């Protein structure tokens, strides 16, 4: 790794940690912060806002992704890097894949988060199970009717694919 890139990585990670600490202490939510970087510059920031917004999806990474997309006016963050003070949970990791983020750099890992009371191991375990074996019941209903929407999508000529 080049010295300049390493120094930049440290700078961006320190900013994610600063956001996590400051906003946690301010009562915005849990101890998580994120920055989105494009071409060596921070283009968006996010911090956990779950408790302050009563939104269980308002994790630092998701908030940061939303802010970056709004700033760039796109849903495609190809070429962007995400720096977070903690390894993303399954939801946030999925959001990063959907956004096509190039790379994630994290500080603490999911085991560190679990030790602090943020245990997402349960979700990882649930995702490995078949639908019928999960603790949250799921049932399929009106599949053929629902498939018609996908058929219409496939036939649309002016759709914006993602």
């Amino acid at each position: 790794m080049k010295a300049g890139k390493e120094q930049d990585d440290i700078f961006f990670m320190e900013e994610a940690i600063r956001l996590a600490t400051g906003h946690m202490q301010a009562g915005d939510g849990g101890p998580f912060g994120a920055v989105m970087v494009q071409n060596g510059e921070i283009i968006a920031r996010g911090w956990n806002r779950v408790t302050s917004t009563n939104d269980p999806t308002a994790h630092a990474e998701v908030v940061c992704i939303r802010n970056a997309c709004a700033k760039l006016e796109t849903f495609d963050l190809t070429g962007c890097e995400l720096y977070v003070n903690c390894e993303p949970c399954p939801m946030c990791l999925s959001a990063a894949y959907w956004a096509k983020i190039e790379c994630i750099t994290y500080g603490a890992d999911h085991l560190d988060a679990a030790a602090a009371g943020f245990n997402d191991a349960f979700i990882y375990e649930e995702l490995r199970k078949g639908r019928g074996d999960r603790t949250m019941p799921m049932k399929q209903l009106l599949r053929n009717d629902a498939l018609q929407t996908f058929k219409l999508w496939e036939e649309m000529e002016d759709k914006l694919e993602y």
Side-chain angles (χ1 to χ4, degrees):
M1 181 183 311
K2 295 180 187 174
K5 172 67 170 144
E6 185 175 348
Q7 285 303 108
D8 287 349
D9 286 344
I10 291 169
F11 174 80
F12 299 137
M13 183 58 69
E14 287 175 341
E15 178 64 4
I17 293 168
R18 186 190 69 74
L19 289 167
T21 304
H23 288 282
M24 172 197 65
Q25 290 175 329
D28 288 339
F32 303 97
V35 295
M36 190 72 66
V37 174
Q38 183 183 54
N39 298 322
E41 292 186 26
I42 295 175
I43 60 163
R45 291 169 170 82
W47 51 89
N48 185 285
R49 301 191 69 219
V50 170
T51 58
S52 61
T53 61
N54 295 315
D55 179 355
T57 69
H59 290 200
E61 298 93 330
V62 172
V63 171
C64 190
I65 289 168
R66 290 173 181 163
N67 291 341
C69 289
K71 178 174 182 156
L72 298 177
E73 298 180 341
T74 183
F75 52 81
D76 185 340
L77 297 178
T78 298
C80 293
E81 298 176 69
L82 182 63
Y83 291 78
V84 292
N85 70 304
C86 186
E87 180 180 5
C89 74
M91 176 186 70
C92 294
L93 181 59
S94 296
Y97 275 108
W98 277 112
K100 300 180 181 141
I101 291 169
E102 297 282 323
C103 176
I104 298 173
T105 302
Y106 63 92
D109 66 24
H110 71 278
L111 298 175
D112 299 320
F118 297 92
N119 192 352
D120 54 14
F122 170 75
I123 299 171
Y124 283 109
E125 291 169 17
E126 286 289 294
L127 291 174
R128 286 187 201 101
K129 296 178 182 177
R131 287 187 294 260
D133 296 325
R134 295 179 184 153
T135 59
M136 182 182 295
M138 294 178 67
K139 65 180 180 179
Q140 191 170 22
L141 183 65
L142 298 177
R143 179 175 183 260
N144 289 332
D145 294 342
L147 287 174
Q148 294 306 308
T149 304
F150 289 119
K151 186 174 189 286
L152 290 171
W153 170 258
E154 291 170 348
E155 295 170 356
M156 282 180 63
E157 293 182 20
D158 61 344
K159 64 186 168 210
L160 181 58
E161 296 191 36
Y162 58 98

